[in-house]
Amino acid sequence: MATKRPRYMISVDNKMFEAIEDFRFEHRFQTRSEATAELIRLGLAAIEAQEEAAQPDSRKSAQEK
């Protein structure tokens, strides 16, 4: 099945490979690629949430003045 999405290959150690496979089967992803993409999305969302939590809320500081 052809796709227009960008593709690239990664190498992981055995422990990470097993963790990805466990995630894949636990969440019933059909392919390793789908599971890996979801893990990346979850990781990026976690980073974004951390960055937002670290930023001072400008509305809150304006109300305190």
Side-chain angles (χ1 to χ4, degrees):
M1 181 185 294
T3 180
K4 293 183 180 182
R5 294 186 211 179
R7 293 175 159 229
Y8 67 97
M9 187 183 320
I10 63 169
S11 298
V12 298
D13 61 23
N14 287 335
K15 184 176 179 181
M16 187 178 291
F17 180 82
E18 289 176 18
I20 293 167
E21 285 293 280
D22 290 346
F23 179 84
R24 173 186 171 200
F25 288 109
E26 288 170 13
H27 294 86
R28 302 186 191 284
F29 285 97
Q30 290 186 4
T31 67
R32 189 176 300 124
S33 180
E34 290 173 2
T36 302
E38 179 64 12
L39 287 166
I40 292 168
R41 275 191 287 278
L42 291 169
L44 291 172
I47 290 169
E48 184 178 327
Q50 285 178 343
E51 289 173 351
E52 287 176 2
Q55 293 178 358
D57 187 351
S58 59
R59 288 175 284 146
K60 184 185 265 186
S61 60
Q63 291 174 352
E64 292 173 356
K65 290 182 181 178

